[in-house]
PDB file of all heavy atoms in Angstrom:
ATOM      1  N   PHE A  21       4.857  -3.428  -9.539  1.00  0.00           N
ATOM      2  CA  PHE A  21       3.750  -3.788  -8.668  1.00  0.00           C
ATOM      3  C   PHE A  21       2.538  -2.872  -8.877  1.00  0.00           C
ATOM      4  O   PHE A  21       1.447  -3.339  -9.190  1.00  0.00           O
ATOM      5  CB  PHE A  21       4.198  -3.739  -7.205  1.00  0.00           C
ATOM      6  CG  PHE A  21       3.111  -4.085  -6.231  1.00  0.00           C
ATOM      7  CD1 PHE A  21       2.734  -5.401  -6.030  1.00  0.00           C
ATOM      8  CD2 PHE A  21       2.473  -3.097  -5.510  1.00  0.00           C
ATOM      9  CE1 PHE A  21       1.726  -5.729  -5.126  1.00  0.00           C
ATOM     10  CE2 PHE A  21       1.473  -3.407  -4.611  1.00  0.00           C
ATOM     11  CZ  PHE A  21       1.104  -4.723  -4.420  1.00  0.00           C
ATOM     12  N   VAL A  25       0.709  -4.946 -11.690  1.00  0.00           N
ATOM     13  CA  VAL A  25      -0.137  -5.857 -10.918  1.00  0.00           C
ATOM     14  C   VAL A  25      -1.443  -5.175 -10.511  1.00  0.00           C
ATOM     15  O   VAL A  25      -2.525  -5.704 -10.746  1.00  0.00           O
ATOM     16  CB  VAL A  25       0.599  -6.405  -9.673  1.00  0.00           C
ATOM     17  CG1 VAL A  25      -0.319  -7.298  -8.849  1.00  0.00           C
ATOM     18  CG2 VAL A  25       1.854  -7.166 -10.101  1.00  0.00           C
ATOM     19  N   CYS A  92     -12.866  -7.831  -4.492  1.00  0.00           N
ATOM     20  CA  CYS A  92     -11.747  -8.100  -3.591  1.00  0.00           C
ATOM     21  C   CYS A  92     -11.124  -9.469  -3.868  1.00  0.00           C
ATOM     22  O   CYS A  92      -9.906  -9.620  -3.860  1.00  0.00           O
ATOM     23  CB  CYS A  92     -12.240  -8.005  -2.147  1.00  0.00           C
ATOM     24  SG  CYS A  92     -10.961  -8.148  -0.896  1.00  0.00           S
ATOM     25  N   LEU A  95      -8.973  -9.408  -7.057  1.00  0.00           N
ATOM     26  CA  LEU A  95      -7.727  -8.677  -6.828  1.00  0.00           C
ATOM     27  C   LEU A  95      -6.770  -9.524  -5.997  1.00  0.00           C
ATOM     28  O   LEU A  95      -5.576  -9.613  -6.297  1.00  0.00           O
ATOM     29  CB  LEU A  95      -7.985  -7.337  -6.152  1.00  0.00           C
ATOM     30  CG  LEU A  95      -6.740  -6.528  -5.839  1.00  0.00           C
ATOM     31  CD1 LEU A  95      -5.964  -6.186  -7.122  1.00  0.00           C
ATOM     32  CD2 LEU A  95      -7.099  -5.256  -5.100  1.00  0.00           C
ATOM     33  N   TRP A  96      -7.278 -10.151  -4.945  1.00  0.00           N
ATOM     34  CA  TRP A  96      -6.442 -11.012  -4.109  1.00  0.00           C
ATOM     35  C   TRP A  96      -5.825 -12.126  -4.945  1.00  0.00           C
ATOM     36  O   TRP A  96      -4.634 -12.419  -4.828  1.00  0.00           O
ATOM     37  CB  TRP A  96      -7.266 -11.588  -2.957  1.00  0.00           C
ATOM     38  CG  TRP A  96      -6.497 -12.528  -2.113  1.00  0.00           C
ATOM     39  CD1 TRP A  96      -5.622 -12.206  -1.109  1.00  0.00           C
ATOM     40  CD2 TRP A  96      -6.477 -13.957  -2.200  1.00  0.00           C
ATOM     41  NE1 TRP A  96      -5.080 -13.353  -0.569  1.00  0.00           N
ATOM     42  CE2 TRP A  96      -5.594 -14.434  -1.226  1.00  0.00           C
ATOM     43  CE3 TRP A  96      -7.140 -14.868  -3.009  1.00  0.00           C
ATOM     44  CZ2 TRP A  96      -5.342 -15.787  -1.031  1.00  0.00           C
ATOM     45  CZ3 TRP A  96      -6.896 -16.213  -2.825  1.00  0.00           C
ATOM     46  CH2 TRP A  96      -6.003 -16.661  -1.841  1.00  0.00           C
ATOM     47  N   GLU A  97      -6.618 -12.736  -5.801  1.00  0.00           N
ATOM     48  CA  GLU A  97      -6.099 -13.819  -6.646  1.00  0.00           C
ATOM     49  C   GLU A  97      -5.003 -13.298  -7.577  1.00  0.00           C
ATOM     50  O   GLU A  97      -3.972 -13.938  -7.771  1.00  0.00           O
ATOM     51  CB  GLU A  97      -7.237 -14.446  -7.464  1.00  0.00           C
ATOM     52  CG  GLU A  97      -6.815 -15.648  -8.261  1.00  0.00           C
ATOM     53  CD  GLU A  97      -6.316 -16.811  -7.419  1.00  0.00           C
ATOM     54  OE1 GLU A  97      -6.813 -17.022  -6.296  1.00  0.00           O
ATOM     55  OE2 GLU A  97      -5.398 -17.516  -7.896  1.00  0.00           O
ATOM     56  N   ARG A  98      -5.210 -12.119  -8.141  1.00  0.00           N
ATOM     57  CA  ARG A  98      -4.197 -11.510  -9.012  1.00  0.00           C
ATOM     58  C   ARG A  98      -2.908 -11.248  -8.241  1.00  0.00           C
ATOM     59  O   ARG A  98      -1.814 -11.521  -8.721  1.00  0.00           O
ATOM     60  CB  ARG A  98      -4.737 -10.225  -9.625  1.00  0.00           C
ATOM     61  CG  ARG A  98      -3.779  -9.533 -10.550  1.00  0.00           C
ATOM     62  CD  ARG A  98      -4.471  -8.381 -11.277  1.00  0.00           C
ATOM     63  NE  ARG A  98      -3.547  -7.630 -12.062  1.00  0.00           N
ATOM     64  CZ  ARG A  98      -3.126  -7.976 -13.269  1.00  0.00           C
ATOM     65  NH1 ARG A  98      -3.564  -9.088 -13.817  1.00  0.00           N
ATOM     66  NH2 ARG A  98      -2.279  -7.208 -13.928  1.00  0.00           N
ATOM     67  N   LEU A  99      -3.037 -10.710  -7.036  1.00  0.00           N
ATOM     68  CA  LEU A  99      -1.868 -10.443  -6.200  1.00  0.00           C
ATOM     69  C   LEU A  99      -1.129 -11.739  -5.871  1.00  0.00           C
ATOM     70  O   LEU A  99       0.097 -11.812  -5.964  1.00  0.00           O
ATOM     71  CB  LEU A  99      -2.286  -9.742  -4.906  1.00  0.00           C
ATOM     72  CG  LEU A  99      -2.757  -8.307  -5.058  1.00  0.00           C
ATOM     73  CD1 LEU A  99      -3.555  -7.875  -3.843  1.00  0.00           C
ATOM     74  CD2 LEU A  99      -1.581  -7.392  -5.293  1.00  0.00           C
ATOM     75  N   ARG A 100      -1.880 -12.757  -5.505  1.00  0.00           N
ATOM     76  CA  ARG A 100      -1.283 -14.045  -5.172  1.00  0.00           C
ATOM     77  C   ARG A 100      -0.554 -14.641  -6.376  1.00  0.00           C
ATOM     78  O   ARG A 100       0.573 -15.115  -6.262  1.00  0.00           O
ATOM     79  CB  ARG A 100      -2.365 -15.003  -4.670  1.00  0.00           C
ATOM     80  CG  ARG A 100      -1.828 -16.256  -4.019  1.00  0.00           C
ATOM     81  CD  ARG A 100      -2.945 -17.192  -3.609  1.00  0.00           C
ATOM     82  NE  ARG A 100      -3.731 -17.678  -4.737  1.00  0.00           N
ATOM     83  CZ  ARG A 100      -3.297 -18.591  -5.627  1.00  0.00           C
ATOM     84  NH1 ARG A 100      -2.100 -19.107  -5.523  1.00  0.00           N
ATOM     85  NH2 ARG A 100      -4.080 -18.981  -6.617  1.00  0.00           N
ATOM     86  N   GLU A 101      -1.177 -14.579  -7.548  1.00  0.00           N
ATOM     87  CA  GLU A 101      -0.562 -15.105  -8.769  1.00  0.00           C
ATOM     88  C   GLU A 101       0.744 -14.402  -9.111  1.00  0.00           C
ATOM     89  O   GLU A 101       1.640 -14.996  -9.691  1.00  0.00           O
ATOM     90  CB  GLU A 101      -1.523 -14.985  -9.951  1.00  0.00           C
ATOM     91  CG  GLU A 101      -2.669 -15.962  -9.918  1.00  0.00           C
ATOM     92  CD  GLU A 101      -3.686 -15.694 -11.019  1.00  0.00           C
ATOM     93  OE1 GLU A 101      -3.503 -14.749 -11.826  1.00  0.00           O
ATOM     94  OE2 GLU A 101      -4.684 -16.451 -11.069  1.00  0.00           O
ATOM     95  N   HIS A 102       0.827 -13.121  -8.763  1.00  0.00           N
ATOM     96  CA  HIS A 102       2.034 -12.345  -9.061  1.00  0.00           C
ATOM     97  C   HIS A 102       3.054 -12.373  -7.925  1.00  0.00           C
ATOM     98  O   HIS A 102       4.016 -11.621  -7.936  1.00  0.00           O
ATOM     99  CB  HIS A 102       1.661 -10.908  -9.423  1.00  0.00           C
ATOM    100  CG  HIS A 102       1.121 -10.786 -10.814  1.00  0.00           C
ATOM    101  ND1 HIS A 102      -0.201 -10.998 -11.111  1.00  0.00           N
ATOM    102  CD2 HIS A 102       1.748 -10.504 -11.980  1.00  0.00           C
ATOM    103  CE1 HIS A 102      -0.378 -10.830 -12.408  1.00  0.00           C
ATOM    104  NE2 HIS A 102       0.786 -10.539 -12.957  1.00  0.00           N
ATOM    105  N   GLY A 103       2.818 -13.213  -6.926  1.00  0.00           N
ATOM    106  CA  GLY A 103       3.803 -13.394  -5.870  1.00  0.00           C
ATOM    107  C   GLY A 103       3.836 -12.318  -4.811  1.00  0.00           C
ATOM    108  O   GLY A 103       4.828 -12.189  -4.090  1.00  0.00           O
ATOM    109  N   ALA A 104       2.757 -11.557  -4.690  1.00  0.00           N
ATOM    110  CA  ALA A 104       2.715 -10.516  -3.655  1.00  0.00           C
ATOM    111  C   ALA A 104       2.759 -11.160  -2.271  1.00  0.00           C
ATOM    112  O   ALA A 104       2.342 -12.310  -2.085  1.00  0.00           O
ATOM    113  CB  ALA A 104       1.456  -9.663  -3.798  1.00  0.00           C
ATOM    114  N   ASP A 105       3.261 -10.417  -1.321  1.00  0.00           N
ATOM    115  CA  ASP A 105       3.301 -10.862   0.065  1.00  0.00           C
ATOM    116  C   ASP A 105       1.906 -10.649   0.657  1.00  0.00           C
ATOM    117  O   ASP A 105       1.580  -9.574   1.162  1.00  0.00           O
ATOM    118  CB  ASP A 105       4.359 -10.055   0.825  1.00  0.00           C
ATOM    119  CG  ASP A 105       4.512 -10.489   2.271  1.00  0.00           C
ATOM    120  OD1 ASP A 105       3.943 -11.535   2.655  1.00  0.00           O
ATOM    121  OD2 ASP A 105       5.213  -9.769   3.008  1.00  0.00           O
ATOM    122  N   VAL A 106       1.060 -11.668   0.552  1.00  0.00           N
ATOM    123  CA  VAL A 106      -0.322 -11.580   1.014  1.00  0.00           C
ATOM    124  C   VAL A 106      -0.361 -11.860   2.511  1.00  0.00           C
ATOM    125  O   VAL A 106       0.146 -12.873   2.978  1.00  0.00           O
ATOM    126  CB  VAL A 106      -1.219 -12.573   0.243  1.00  0.00           C
ATOM    127  CG1 VAL A 106      -2.637 -12.534   0.787  1.00  0.00           C
ATOM    128  CG2 VAL A 106      -1.205 -12.265  -1.248  1.00  0.00           C
ATOM    129  N   LEU A 107      -0.953 -10.953   3.269  1.00  0.00           N
ATOM    130  CA  LEU A 107      -1.037 -11.083   4.723  1.00  0.00           C
ATOM    131  C   LEU A 107      -2.381 -11.610   5.190  1.00  0.00           C
ATOM    132  O   LEU A 107      -2.473 -12.258   6.227  1.00  0.00           O
ATOM    133  CB  LEU A 107      -0.772  -9.728   5.382  1.00  0.00           C
ATOM    134  CG  LEU A 107       0.558  -9.067   5.035  1.00  0.00           C
ATOM    135  CD1 LEU A 107       0.630  -7.691   5.668  1.00  0.00           C
ATOM    136  CD2 LEU A 107       1.711  -9.933   5.481  1.00  0.00           C
ATOM    137  N   GLN A 108      -3.436 -11.265   4.451  1.00  0.00           N
ATOM    138  CA  GLN A 108      -4.779 -11.704   4.833  1.00  0.00           C
ATOM    139  C   GLN A 108      -5.587 -11.927   3.570  1.00  0.00           C
ATOM    140  O   GLN A 108      -5.687 -11.042   2.739  1.00  0.00           O
ATOM    141  CB  GLN A 108      -5.458 -10.638   5.697  1.00  0.00           C
ATOM    142  CG  GLN A 108      -6.920 -10.944   6.024  1.00  0.00           C
ATOM    143  CD  GLN A 108      -7.692  -9.691   6.349  1.00  0.00           C
ATOM    144  OE1 GLN A 108      -7.263  -8.893   7.168  1.00  0.00           O
ATOM    145  NE2 GLN A 108      -8.831  -9.513   5.706  1.00  0.00           N
ATOM    146  N   GLU A 109      -6.126 -13.109   3.428  1.00  0.00           N
ATOM    147  CA  GLU A 109      -6.976 -13.363   2.260  1.00  0.00           C
ATOM    148  C   GLU A 109      -8.313 -12.661   2.477  1.00  0.00           C
ATOM    149  O   GLU A 109      -8.616 -12.208   3.584  1.00  0.00           O
ATOM    150  CB  GLU A 109      -7.128 -14.856   2.027  1.00  0.00           C
ATOM    151  CG  GLU A 109      -7.768 -15.626   3.132  1.00  0.00           C
ATOM    152  CD  GLU A 109      -7.778 -17.118   2.832  1.00  0.00           C
ATOM    153  OE1 GLU A 109      -6.691 -17.705   2.728  1.00  0.00           O
ATOM    154  OE2 GLU A 109      -8.873 -17.673   2.702  1.00  0.00           O
ATOM    155  N   PRO A 110      -9.126 -12.539   1.422  1.00  0.00           N
ATOM    156  CA  PRO A 110     -10.400 -11.824   1.565  1.00  0.00           C
ATOM    157  C   PRO A 110     -11.243 -12.359   2.717  1.00  0.00           C
ATOM    158  O   PRO A 110     -11.431 -13.565   2.858  1.00  0.00           O
ATOM    159  CB  PRO A 110     -11.078 -12.062   0.214  1.00  0.00           C
ATOM    160  CG  PRO A 110      -9.945 -12.236  -0.738  1.00  0.00           C
ATOM    161  CD  PRO A 110      -8.900 -12.983   0.046  1.00  0.00           C
ATOM    162  N   THR A 111     -11.703 -11.425   3.525  1.00  0.00           N
ATOM    163  CA  THR A 111     -12.451 -11.747   4.741  1.00  0.00           C
ATOM    164  C   THR A 111     -13.614 -10.782   4.880  1.00  0.00           C
ATOM    165  O   THR A 111     -13.459  -9.580   4.663  1.00  0.00           O
ATOM    166  CB  THR A 111     -11.536 -11.598   5.981  1.00  0.00           C
ATOM    167  OG1 THR A 111     -10.395 -12.437   5.809  1.00  0.00           O
ATOM    168  CG2 THR A 111     -12.258 -11.954   7.260  1.00  0.00           C
ATOM    169  N   ASP A 119     -12.415  -7.468   2.897  1.00  0.00           N
ATOM    170  CA  ASP A 119     -11.101  -6.885   2.643  1.00  0.00           C
ATOM    171  C   ASP A 119      -9.999  -7.926   2.695  1.00  0.00           C
ATOM    172  O   ASP A 119     -10.195  -9.058   3.131  1.00  0.00           O
ATOM    173  CB  ASP A 119     -10.811  -5.711   3.576  1.00  0.00           C
ATOM    174  CG  ASP A 119     -10.461  -6.110   5.001  1.00  0.00           C
ATOM    175  OD1 ASP A 119     -10.630  -7.279   5.381  1.00  0.00           O
ATOM    176  OD2 ASP A 119      -9.998  -5.236   5.739  1.00  0.00           O
ATOM    177  N   CYS A 120      -8.840  -7.518   2.197  1.00  0.00           N
ATOM    178  CA  CYS A 120      -7.636  -8.345   2.251  1.00  0.00           C
ATOM    179  C   CYS A 120      -6.458  -7.414   2.524  1.00  0.00           C
ATOM    180  O   CYS A 120      -6.585  -6.193   2.440  1.00  0.00           O
ATOM    181  CB  CYS A 120      -7.430  -9.120   0.949  1.00  0.00           C
ATOM    182  SG  CYS A 120      -7.171  -8.123  -0.528  1.00  0.00           S
ATOM    183  N   ALA A 121      -5.319  -7.996   2.873  1.00  0.00           N
ATOM    184  CA  ALA A 121      -4.133  -7.197   3.192  1.00  0.00           C
ATOM    185  C   ALA A 121      -2.918  -7.822   2.537  1.00  0.00           C
ATOM    186  O   ALA A 121      -2.815  -9.047   2.419  1.00  0.00           O
ATOM    187  CB  ALA A 121      -3.937  -7.113   4.704  1.00  0.00           C
ATOM    188  N   PHE A 122      -1.990  -6.979   2.128  1.00  0.00           N
ATOM    189  CA  PHE A 122      -0.769  -7.430   1.471  1.00  0.00           C
ATOM    190  C   PHE A 122       0.299  -6.362   1.625  1.00  0.00           C
ATOM    191  O   PHE A 122       0.022  -5.255   2.089  1.00  0.00           O
ATOM    192  CB  PHE A 122      -1.031  -7.750  -0.011  1.00  0.00           C
ATOM    193  CG  PHE A 122      -1.753  -6.659  -0.752  1.00  0.00           C
ATOM    194  CD1 PHE A 122      -1.062  -5.706  -1.472  1.00  0.00           C
ATOM    195  CD2 PHE A 122      -3.141  -6.585  -0.722  1.00  0.00           C
ATOM    196  CE1 PHE A 122      -1.723  -4.704  -2.151  1.00  0.00           C
ATOM    197  CE2 PHE A 122      -3.813  -5.578  -1.401  1.00  0.00           C
ATOM    198  CZ  PHE A 122      -3.093  -4.634  -2.122  1.00  0.00           C
ATOM    199  N   ARG A 123       1.511  -6.702   1.244  1.00  0.00           N
ATOM    200  CA  ARG A 123       2.617  -5.744   1.276  1.00  0.00           C
ATOM    201  C   ARG A 123       3.105  -5.499  -0.141  1.00  0.00           C
ATOM    202  O   ARG A 123       3.111  -6.408  -0.972  1.00  0.00           O
ATOM    203  CB  ARG A 123       3.764  -6.266   2.124  1.00  0.00           C
ATOM    204  CG  ARG A 123       3.420  -6.364   3.591  1.00  0.00           C
ATOM    205  CD  ARG A 123       4.661  -6.497   4.459  1.00  0.00           C
ATOM    206  NE  ARG A 123       4.295  -6.721   5.838  1.00  0.00           N
ATOM    207  CZ  ARG A 123       3.908  -5.772   6.697  1.00  0.00           C
ATOM    208  NH1 ARG A 123       3.849  -4.526   6.307  1.00  0.00           N
ATOM    209  NH2 ARG A 123       3.607  -6.069   7.938  1.00  0.00           N
ATOM    210  N   ASP A 124       3.523  -4.265  -0.394  1.00  0.00           N
ATOM    211  CA  ASP A 124       4.144  -3.968  -1.682  1.00  0.00           C
ATOM    212  C   ASP A 124       5.599  -4.432  -1.633  1.00  0.00           C
ATOM    213  O   ASP A 124       6.066  -4.898  -0.581  1.00  0.00           O
ATOM    214  CB  ASP A 124       3.978  -2.480  -2.038  1.00  0.00           C
ATOM    215  CG  ASP A 124       4.855  -1.541  -1.227  1.00  0.00           C
ATOM    216  OD1 ASP A 124       5.675  -2.002  -0.396  1.00  0.00           O
ATOM    217  OD2 ASP A 124       4.737  -0.324  -1.433  1.00  0.00           O
ATOM    218  N   ASN A 128       5.512  -2.006   2.465  1.00  0.00           N
ATOM    219  CA  ASN A 128       4.400  -1.190   2.946  1.00  0.00           C
ATOM    220  C   ASN A 128       3.127  -2.014   3.046  1.00  0.00           C
ATOM    221  O   ASN A 128       2.801  -2.773   2.129  1.00  0.00           O
ATOM    222  CB  ASN A 128       4.148  -0.011   2.001  1.00  0.00           C
ATOM    223  CG  ASN A 128       5.290   0.962   1.996  1.00  0.00           C
ATOM    224  OD1 ASN A 128       5.604   1.563   3.008  1.00  0.00           O
ATOM    225  ND2 ASN A 128       5.921   1.119   0.844  1.00  0.00           N
ATOM    226  N   LEU A 129       2.402  -1.843   4.135  1.00  0.00           N
ATOM    227  CA  LEU A 129       1.127  -2.516   4.327  1.00  0.00           C
ATOM    228  C   LEU A 129       0.057  -1.824   3.485  1.00  0.00           C
ATOM    229  O   LEU A 129      -0.135  -0.611   3.589  1.00  0.00           O
ATOM    230  CB  LEU A 129       0.720  -2.488   5.795  1.00  0.00           C
ATOM    231  CG  LEU A 129      -0.683  -3.015   6.105  1.00  0.00           C
ATOM    232  CD1 LEU A 129      -0.775  -4.503   5.777  1.00  0.00           C
ATOM    233  CD2 LEU A 129      -1.036  -2.755   7.555  1.00  0.00           C
ATOM    234  N   LEU A 130      -0.624  -2.602   2.665  1.00  0.00           N
ATOM    235  CA  LEU A 130      -1.730  -2.104   1.872  1.00  0.00           C
ATOM    236  C   LEU A 130      -2.934  -2.980   2.168  1.00  0.00           C
ATOM    237  O   LEU A 130      -2.816  -4.184   2.329  1.00  0.00           O
ATOM    238  CB  LEU A 130      -1.425  -2.173   0.373  1.00  0.00           C
ATOM    239  CG  LEU A 130      -0.166  -1.444  -0.097  1.00  0.00           C
ATOM    240  CD1 LEU A 130       0.074  -1.726  -1.562  1.00  0.00           C
ATOM    241  CD2 LEU A 130      -0.283   0.039   0.149  1.00  0.00           C
TER     242      LEU A 130
END
Side-chain angles (χ1 to χ4, degrees):
F21 179 77
V25 177
C92 186
L95 178 61
W96 177 81
E97 185 62 34
R98 181 171 174 81
L99 290 161
R100 193 183 63 73
E101 287 173 0
H102 283 85
D105 182 10
V106 177
L107 303 175
Q108 174 204 310
E109 61 184 63
T111 303
D119 75 349
C120 63
F122 50 95
R123 293 196 186 280
D124 73 3
N128 294 298
L129 173 65
L130 303 174

